[in-house]
Amino acid sequence: MSLLTVRDLTVEFPGPRGTVRAVDGLSFALERGRTLGIVGESGSGKSATSLAIMGLHAAARVGGSIELDGTEIVGAGREAVRALRGRRMAMIFQDPMSSLHPNHRVGEQIAETRRLHFGASRRRAREDAVRALADVGVPAPRERARDFPHQFSGGMRQRVMIAMALACEPDLLIADEPTTALDVTVQAQILELIAGVQRDRGLAVVLITHDLGVVARVADDVLVMYAGRSVEKAAVAELFTGPRHPYTRGLLGSLPRLDGPPGAPAPIPGNPPDLLSPPGGCPFHPRCPERIDGCATVRPELTGGAHPAACHLLSAPEEAAP
Amino acid sequence: MTALLELDGLTRTFRTRRGTVRAVDGVDLTVRAGETLGLVGESGCGKSTTGRMLVRLLDATSGRIAFGGRDITRLPPRRMRPLRGQLQIIFQDPFSSLNPRRTIGSIIAEPLRVQGVRDPGPRVREMLERVGLGAEHADRYPHEFSGGQAQRAGIARALVTRPRLVVADEPVSALDVSIQAQIVNLLAELQRDLDLAYVFIAHDLAVVRNVCARVAVMYLGRIVEIGDRDTVYGAPAHPYTKALLSAVPLPDPVAERERERIVLRGDPPSPAEPPAGCAFHPRCFKAQDRCRVERPVLAEVAGRQAACHFPEVH
């Protein structure tokens, strides 16, 4: 059985100008020891997905099913979800300050997790915190445990947040744009750290990012989202060598690259859809260079075995396929 | 080709509680008419401060800026004004650089009014079309625009006076990938049509590679390597350039898994406490005793300039 199973997930945010359906019928499964990259641009629903899994969606209406190791999260009571969050799953964010308390020493914050969820004694919890900091590569961990978050550099603060997330010994780690705010040389360090703990502890990781390079470096499988829907799912190598959805192809074609000949990238025309009034049919059809009859009216379903995509071209007659 | 812009020993210091910080420390640079020079580096390297100084949004502490052969380093605002139309800047966040209470048309007309143009309307409309917006956008407000459209408006404002040099400070890094390419291509098209020179400031090495014929890499306030794009990217001489390139994840899972990677230790240092000798030595995988005491200067290395005692290529 998969560690995480998401079925037909919907996340809706009611607002004064109407309801935004940020996630619209998303399904996927994730095994222990694997990293799933969820890729999308702003408004694709990738972050709303992660907040729904963590049960951190105060203002949203969540539908469908999210099962963590057989326990249903959608509709579960706050206390039940909080217990899972502290013990079975943890999340790291783009901005570490959003999950660290600014006025508490970092060692105390990590120690509190150990006391709360594992019943460790004060002394034991303190030792655990020092070891947790050492494990994520914080130099002089015993001394640094007594520092406050603002005394750390951006990269070190990210390490502290990872140490805190791992202190609850989760089975599932959700990393939402964990390196987006970092310089590229520091990003390389943090990606290496995440890949290392993933390997050592057999964690399941959901990595949410807009950066296809980051996905190529650390993910095993990829899910591409557009306008709240999953448009393509594949093993990482297949996605990059044989993208099946025109949006995925467009995204890869618009990337500036360090490999291959330099030159003008091929942009995707138009703008991302307005989720208050999303286009009918396939949400990508207004920007799609390959659209055919039916794309504007009929919503394509995700189809196609181990490498599914949601595109009418894939079920159209041979000559229409690219 | 003659130099359009020359920087000579350009330096900027800031006073802080922790002492004097040298954000930019002796930058020499030449930009030729019609070319695109990339200025790359990580946060705090001084690339944006350099960009702001060279359009005179920020005064230099010392050094010299010559534009079209004329020293503009200390020109007072009254005498700088006629030159403003020739020297423009595009910012990273289009929304924070466009006045939310003014229409797009009036925002784009403003630089023309400063130059004393009495009826800016026709030129505003022409510029809107050049950047891929329509005349109908002139009456709208910035909040009605998407990120890509707002950046197009920012570009129109910068180019409406027909500048000869434009500093583009991270012009695409706030945009989604699919939109970035639209803006990059627009900038290239405008350069061809209007004979512009760009100083393209970015942290994204891949974007710079696609846009710039020449590139300068900065570290802690100084240029550590500068040369033609293919030379610098193809065979970097400075260990920092090499590490920076190797840190960028490639959108190619097979290459990513086989690739040799240099992972630098530590964070970029603070300009408030610059290391002695070569500023890069505490993170450098090749550092030796000499690097800890003697600051390397830019020198000719295999067809480009690099500031390193032990360059990667000879």
Side-chain angles (χ1 to χ4, degrees):
Chain A
M1 190 179 65
S2 300
L3 176 70
L4 177 69
T5 309
V6 173
R7 275 189 221 95
D8 206 23
L9 179 69
T10 56
V11 180
E12 291 182 330
F13 295 94
R17 297 198 297 140
T19 295
V20 167
R21 183 167 274 210
V23 181
D24 188 5
L26 184 71
S27 300
F28 66 87
L30 177 62
E31 314 296 325
R32 279 173 216 276
R34 291 189 76 82
T35 298
L36 172 72
I38 300 185
V39 188
E41 299 183 282
S42 36
S44 64
K46 57 191 194 302
S47 286
T49 301
S50 66
L51 293 178
I53 297 170
M54 290 296 287
L56 299 168
H57 44 64
R61 283 199 299 259
V62 179
S65 159
I66 301 169
E67 274 183 20
L68 180 71
D69 210 8
T71 306
E72 178 62 52
I73 293 172
V74 176
R78 279 173 61 182
E79 283 309 312
V81 176
R82 188 178 295 169
L84 283 176
R85 201 156 58 218
R87 190 60 191 81
R88 306 294 307 276
M89 56 187 181
M91 184 161 174
I92 58 177
F93 301 87
Q94 179 173 336
D95 175 12
M97 289 310 268
S98 62
S99 60
L100 294 172
H101 195 296
N103 300 336
H104 291 173
R105 297 174 199 280
V106 303
E108 289 168 11
Q109 298 188 49
I110 299 171
E112 190 185 318
T113 297
R114 300 298 300 176
R115 298 220 325 266
L116 208 63
H117 296 291
F118 296 87
S121 67
R122 275 175 189 281
R123 189 197 180 114
R124 183 65 211 263
R126 223 169 19 237
E127 287 305 309
D128 287 349
V130 169
R131 187 154 15 85
L133 288 172
D135 284 349
V136 296
V138 172
R142 197 164 295 278
E143 290 71 39
R144 296 309 312 258
R146 288 195 289 268
D147 284 344
F148 294 95
H150 72 87
Q151 292 172 289
F152 290 80
S153 68
M156 279 299 151
R157 214 178 279 152
Q158 209 72 14
R159 287 177 192 269
V160 170
M161 180 170 57
I162 293 170
M164 197 154 105
L166 297 179
C168 75
E169 298 176 18
D171 302 311
L172 173 68
L173 179 70
I174 298 178
D176 189 352
E177 301 275 8
T179 59
T180 303
L182 302 175
D183 277 320
V184 65
T185 58
V186 180
Q187 164 173 284
Q189 299 167 4
I190 298 299
L191 290 178
E192 198 147 275
L193 173 64
I194 293 174
V197 297
Q198 198 266 354
R199 220 170 27 238
D200 297 346
R201 304 180 185 218
L203 281 177
V205 176
V206 175
L207 175 75
I208 291 174
T209 179
H210 69 283
D211 188 329
L212 284 161
V214 168
V215 164
R217 186 169 286 185
V218 298
D220 300 305
D221 303 289
V222 193
L223 190 155
V224 182
M225 288 187 75
Y226 188 81
R229 299 188 202 166
S230 150
V231 296
E232 184 162 358
K233 279 195 277 196
V236 70
E238 266 91 77
L239 186 93
F240 284 84
T241 53
R244 301 183 74 195
H245 198 284
Y247 173 63
T248 312
R249 281 198 287 276
L251 213 49
L252 286 166
S254 64
L255 279 186
R257 301 187 72 121
L258 280 181
D259 47 351
I268 301 177
N271 290 296
D274 176 4
L275 293 180
L276 278 168
S277 50
C282 170
F284 187 59
H285 86 262
R287 305 176 73 191
C288 185
E290 301 172 53
R291 69 172 166 266
I292 52 175
D293 286 349
C295 292
T297 48
V298 184
R299 170 176 170 166
E301 296 302 323
L302 206 58
T303 49
H307 181 168
C311 177
H312 290 309
L313 288 175
L314 301 170
S315 49
E318 274 302 297
E319 63 272 19
Chain B
M1 252 194 291
T2 54
L4 177 61
L5 178 84
E6 277 182 284
L7 307 181
D8 186 7
L10 199 64
T11 298
R12 173 70 202 202
T13 61
F14 293 100
R15 273 182 222 286
T16 70
R17 275 178 302 168
R18 293 159 71 198
T20 301
V21 172
R22 295 176 91 80
V24 176
D25 191 4
V27 164
D28 302 329
L29 212 56
T30 301
V31 183
R32 295 181 282 258
E35 82 160 336
T36 302
L37 172 76
L39 208 50
V40 299
E42 298 181 281
S43 44
C45 73
K47 56 189 191 300
S48 285
T49 306
T50 302
R52 271 152 214 258
M53 276 193 286
L54 67 87
V55 294
R56 293 290 319 277
L57 280 181
L58 190 67
D59 283 329
T61 308
S62 62
R64 180 172 175 273
I65 308 164
F67 181 65
R70 180 176 176 198
D71 187 339
I72 62 162
T73 322
R74 315 227 166 265
L75 275 191
R78 181 177 47 82
R79 295 182 54 204
M80 193 60 213
R81 197 169 301 139
L83 286 175
R84 289 267 174 227
Q86 297 184 40
L87 201 53
Q88 286 283 344
I89 184 163
I90 300 165
F91 297 97
Q92 172 175 356
D93 181 354
F95 291 107
S96 66
S97 61
L98 301 175
N99 186 336
R101 300 214 181 95
R102 307 256 312 264
T103 63
I104 291 296
S106 119
I107 289 170
I108 297 171
E110 183 62 23
L112 290 172
R113 289 203 195 91
V114 171
Q115 298 300 318
V117 175
R118 283 182 196 284
D119 179 20
R123 283 174 70 181
V124 169
R125 284 192 290 278
E126 188 225 320
M127 205 60 228
L128 277 170
E129 269 168 39
R130 270 192 191 276
V131 299
L133 298 170
E136 74 277 10
H137 288 103
D139 297 328
R140 298 203 190 146
Y141 290 88
H143 72 88
E144 298 175 68
F145 281 26
S146 69
Q149 288 173 321
Q151 192 57 294
R152 286 174 194 270
I155 291 169
R157 175 181 55 185
L159 300 193
V160 73
T161 57
R162 294 297 173 87
R164 296 162 71 199
L165 180 75
V166 174
V167 172
D169 189 358
E170 300 276 8
V172 299
S173 51
L175 305 173
D176 274 322
V177 173
S178 71
I179 306 299
Q180 280 190 9
Q182 293 178 5
I183 299 298
V184 160
N185 290 355
L186 174 65
L187 288 171
E189 184 187 311
L190 292 165
Q191 179 171 48
R192 277 193 302 276
D193 295 350
L194 305 175
D195 194 29
L196 297 165
Y198 291 124
V199 173
F200 194 98
I201 299 172
H203 71 282
D204 186 329
L205 290 145
V207 170
V208 168
R209 177 170 180 261
N210 279 325
V211 175
C212 305
R214 269 195 324 135
V215 57
V217 182
M218 290 187 73
Y219 192 77
L220 213 66
R222 301 199 188 115
I223 292 175
V224 297
E225 181 159 3
I226 178 167
D228 289 339
R229 182 244 333 260
D230 295 340
T231 312
V232 172
Y233 280 84
H238 200 288
Y240 177 62
T241 313
K242 186 173 185 181
L244 204 54
L245 286 168
S246 112
V248 179
L250 302 178
D252 178 343
V254 179
E256 266 302 319
R257 275 151 179 80
E258 288 168 357
R259 173 171 187 226
E260 183 207 1
R261 214 158 23 235
I262 304 162
V263 177
L264 294 179
R265 283 165 299 143
D267 299 304
S270 157
E273 299 156 58
C278 172
F280 183 58
H281 88 256
R283 305 177 75 200
C284 186
F285 51 95
K286 298 180 87 175
Q288 302 187 25
D289 287 345
R290 185 180 171 196
C291 307
R292 291 179 248 279
V293 288
E294 187 187 333
R295 176 202 291 188
V297 292
L298 274 177
E300 199 70 18
V301 178
R304 98 296 308 273
Q305 290 189 301
C308 178
H309 296 309
F310 306 101
E312 289 284 293
V313 289
H314 301 282

